[in-house]
Structures are given as C-alpha cells and as structure tokens.
Amino acid sequence: MAPCTLLQRHHPRWTRMQVLRHSEHTLKTALLSKNPVLVSQYEKLDAGEQRLMNEAFQPRSNLFEPITVHSQSDWISSHPEAPQDFEQFFSDRYRNAPCPKKHIIYIQSIGSLGNTRVISEEYIKWLKGYCEAFFYGLKVKFLEPVSVSETKCSFRVNEHTQNLQIHTGHILAFLKKNKPEDAFCIVGITMIDLYPRDSWNFVFGQASLSSGVGIFSFARYGKDFYTSKYEGSVTTLQLTSPTDYSIFDNYYIPEITSVLLLRSCKTLTHEIGHILGLRHCQWLACLMQGSNHLEESDRRPLNVCPICLRKLQSAIGFNIVERYRALVKWIDDESCNESGETPKSSSAHAHLPKPVEAFKDWREWLIRCIALLEK
C-alpha cells in the first residue's frame, strides 16, 4: 500500500481511532498518474475541474477529508486490499465500460418497495432520478416489477432475526437471464433481506462484475430493523413448502424515510460504481469506501473523492459541474416524475413529496463544489 500517516484520536469505544492520511505526493500521483499520457489528459481538463480535483492533495481542503478508521471492525482494518489509483483503473483491460450499444443502467425491483403502490412507484422514480444524476450521461431505466415467485429463487426464515430472506445467487441468475441487449448492467433492488448461502447470516447485496448484474436489499435500512419493535418477524411454522411463495404476500416493508432513501441511494451508486470498475477507495473519505456494518456505511459520504471522480468521468464522460447541478436539482425537485419512463402501472395522478431532509448537508457541499468549479 502507498505510504501514509496514521493519526490517533481518542474514541470511547476504541482507544485507537485513526486518521489515515496519505502524503500530498501519494495523493497527487494516485490522481494524475506517472504515465505522461494520462498526465497530459488531466492537464487538458477544464481549469475548474482541475481546481476541484486538485483538492485531493491540498492538506487543508474543506471538501475532501482523510479516511477515519473508528474501530478494528471497520472495513479497511479487517479487509486488507491493494489500493486502486487512476492509472490502474484506466489500464484495467477486464473493466466493463459503457459503450453506444450498451449504455443503459437497468433497475429491476423484486417484490413491492412500498406499503402502497403509490409509495412504491414514487420511490422508484426517486431512485431512478438520483442514479441518472449521479451517473450523469448514462440512461437509467426501470423494468417492470417482478414478484419473488417469478424469480423462482430459494428462500428461508433467518433463524436469528426471524425475518424472510431470498437467495442472492438465484436472483443473480434470474437477472443475467433477463438482461436486456442494450444494458450496461442490470441491478435488482428489494425490500426483502438476502442470504448468499445457508451458512451465512445475511448480506446487504452481491454482484457479478463480469456479468454486469447485482442484487441489493434495503430491508435492514429501516429505522426499526435492529430493535425489539421490528415488525417483520415470521415463524418457521409459516413455511409450508420451499415453493410456496404465498408467505411473501403482505410481507413487512419499512417506511420510506429520508434516511432510508439516503441509504438506498448510497448503496445503489456504490455498487454500480463497482460494476463500472471502481474498487474500494482507500485514498480519502469517499462513497466507494468499503463498509462492514450499517454504522460504518452511514459514515461514508455520498460523494466520491477526486480520484474516484476522475475514474467515473473517464468511464462516462460527463462535465463535472453539470453533474453536480443535476444532483442539486434532484434534491430540490419535489418529485422526479419528469425524467423518462416509469413502470406501465404508474398511477396517473400520484404524487408524494420526496423526503430529502437527510440530503441537506450534502446539498451545501455540492454548492461549494460548484462555486469552486466556476471560480
């Protein structure tokens, strides 16, 4: 791993909370590269874009901060990985990249996402609009929702939490089989908990990068999942047959709060980032950091660091200030029903206010970035 400095701070739950601070030279090299061709490409970027990305190696930047490791259970402590700089990303011949024939992100909902059809459809619009702004320049389409029974996946009741779970491998096979010809990737989203194999307790999601498919659950993002008030528990006695999907009739769905929406957006963009070839970030505080648990995931910012931003821009080809404006517009717009197609069953006059309270601090950060870009 590139050289860095670990600065210790006291923390009540872990006396060795650490700040992972790389040298200016290390960060600049990770961003620009040592390859003269890639350096030349960087120098041809708009002056404002260079000014923003150069914040990566400014010691006193108030836009991009170093990674803070809060405990030994954090991802970066427990999952040693080689860091990926821009040059490694750019030179990865196995990396999937959008192209004119495969340029659409498809999102497939599995089961209902809201307690009513109106809530489910509005939530879909919000996620679609967010992904279109975040991956500015790529199209995002929602496929018609499917029921759990249509996927023919295995399922179980978790013996510890007593909630329903569906098998990720079977869902991935279903998505791969139904992947449209013009898809860059297809990702499944669900409010049902997931498990990858019998010996595992759960997973938040799983993806096959080579196939361009992924499945992610937002079930554990509800405010009461880890409390005694959780209402999604079922009994194993209700499982009458491994093919009786009626157990999913009226299954528990958490309320779509602002925090749940933020967590959903964060997970969806992080995982699609992986499908685009971005590995876990180890440079600065970044959306692409790994996370072992919900508390760590909540600490990750919604934004990518300049090194990962350059990777995204290289893969997609967006103008950075236009992308940031699109994200601000998504936060400010009450509903995203102006952007493209929605499932055919969409209610003609349905409208719910988008719960964006949790995004307000990030909006202020975006405005500061836009000001620096246009300086």
Side-chain angles (χ1 to χ4, degrees):
M1 183 174 175
C4 63
T5 303
L6 287 174
L7 303 179
Q8 297 185 3
R9 293 178 181 171
H10 175 72
H11 192 275
R13 289 179 293 111
W14 189 45
T15 56
R16 292 174 56 236
M17 188 171 88
Q18 300 171 326
V19 177
L20 187 64
R21 195 180 296 279
H22 295 279
S23 70
E24 293 176 46
H25 174 74
T26 297
L27 291 170
K28 187 173 183 178
T29 303
L31 175 64
L32 273 72
S33 157
K34 291 181 180 179
N35 184 325
V37 175
L38 297 183
V39 173
S40 176
Q41 287 181 8
Y42 185 82
E43 291 172 346
K44 291 176 183 176
L45 292 174
D46 173 87
E49 293 188 338
Q50 289 188 52
R51 188 162 49 244
L52 177 78
M53 291 198 198
N54 286 348
E55 286 287 307
F57 50 86
Q58 303 302 323
R60 297 182 181 178
S61 173
N62 63 356
L63 292 176
F64 303 101
E65 299 178 350
I67 295 172
T68 301
V69 183
H70 285 246
S71 77
Q72 291 173 322
S73 67
D74 280 8
W75 181 275
I76 205 165
S77 300
S78 55
H79 293 81
E81 297 176 275
Q84 180 198 49
D85 59 24
F86 176 74
E87 183 176 342
Q88 289 169 318
F89 169 83
F90 188 84
S91 305
D92 183 0
R93 59 179 178 170
Y94 299 108
R95 173 172 59 88
N96 288 324
C99 64
K101 290 185 178 180
K102 296 184 180 294
H103 64 289
I104 299 174
I105 296 171
Y106 281 95
I107 302 179
Q108 173 72 76
S109 60
I110 298 167
S112 180
L113 299 177
N115 287 314
T116 68
R117 189 177 70 177
V118 170
I119 294 173
S120 190
E121 291 176 357
E122 289 294 289
Y123 183 51
I124 284 173
K125 293 176 187 176
W126 299 334
L127 291 176
K128 176 182 182 293
Y130 186 82
C131 281
E132 285 181 330
F134 193 92
F135 299 106
Y136 191 74
L138 292 183
K139 289 184 179 180
V140 180
K141 292 184 179 181
F142 257 94
L143 297 169
E144 285 297 306
V146 297
S147 64
V148 177
S149 61
E150 289 177 81
T151 70
K152 295 183 170 57
C153 69
S154 296
F155 58 92
R156 72 178 185 185
V157 173
N158 184 296
E159 63 181 342
H160 304 291
T161 53
Q162 299 299 306
N163 62 305
L164 283 167
Q165 296 181 305
I166 54 180
H167 192 283
T168 55
H170 299 165
I171 299 292
L172 290 175
F174 170 83
L175 294 172
K176 186 176 179 180
K177 182 180 178 182
N178 292 277
K179 185 179 178 183
E181 286 288 324
D182 58 356
F184 165 68
C185 67
I186 177 171
V187 292
I189 59 172
T190 184
M191 284 294 185
I192 306 167
D193 207 23
L194 303 172
Y195 73 105
R197 56 180 67 98
D198 291 342
S199 59
W200 282 52
N201 184 26
F202 80 97
V203 287
F204 284 115
Q206 189 175 356
S208 170
L209 305 190
S210 59
S211 300
V213 297
I215 172 65
F216 316 108
S217 169
F218 306 142
R220 293 178 180 246
Y221 292 165
K223 60 184 178 181
D224 61 351
F225 186 90
Y226 294 99
T227 72
S228 58
K229 297 179 181 179
Y230 179 63
E231 299 176 20
S233 300
V234 297
T235 64
T236 52
L237 295 176
Q238 291 177 256
L239 284 175
T240 57
S241 164
T243 58
D244 181 10
Y245 292 95
S246 64
I247 192 170
F248 291 97
D249 295 344
N250 302 313
Y251 65 87
Y252 176 73
I253 302 172
E255 178 188 359
I256 309 296
T257 63
S258 183
V259 171
L260 188 144
L261 179 60
L262 182 145
R263 289 169 171 170
S264 304
C265 290
K266 192 181 286 188
T267 294
L268 199 53
T269 49
H270 174 99
E271 299 300 342
I272 294 173
H274 280 322
I275 296 175
L276 279 160
L278 281 74
R279 297 184 208 154
H280 284 132
C281 182
Q282 300 183 53
W283 304 112
L284 295 160
C286 177
L287 172 81
M288 292 309 299
Q289 287 173 246
S291 63
N292 264 349
H293 45 81
L294 187 58
E295 181 184 355
E296 184 179 17
S297 177
D298 282 345
R299 289 197 300 265
R300 289 185 311 197
L302 282 158
N303 60 277
V304 290
C305 73
I307 296 161
C308 292
L309 179 62
R310 189 181 180 196
K311 295 174 187 178
L312 270 185
Q313 186 188 44
S314 172
I316 301 173
F318 51 70
N319 175 283
I320 295 176
V321 72
E322 289 178 2
R323 174 178 177 269
Y324 283 163
R325 283 181 184 145
L327 286 164
V328 171
K329 185 174 186 296
W330 179 87
I331 296 170
D332 290 345
D333 285 350
E334 286 192 11
S335 177
C336 289
N337 55 8
E338 78 286 348
S339 58
E341 301 172 15
T342 54
K344 296 174 185 176
S345 58
S346 180
S347 305
H349 303 291
H351 172 74
L352 289 174
K354 186 171 23 173
V356 293
E357 296 81 10
F359 294 83
K360 294 301 183 184
D361 287 345
W362 194 48
R363 183 188 184 281
E364 293 178 9
W365 181 90
L366 290 167
I367 294 298
R368 286 192 285 131
C369 287
I370 292 170
L372 182 61
L373 284 158
E374 296 180 331
K375 188 175 177 181

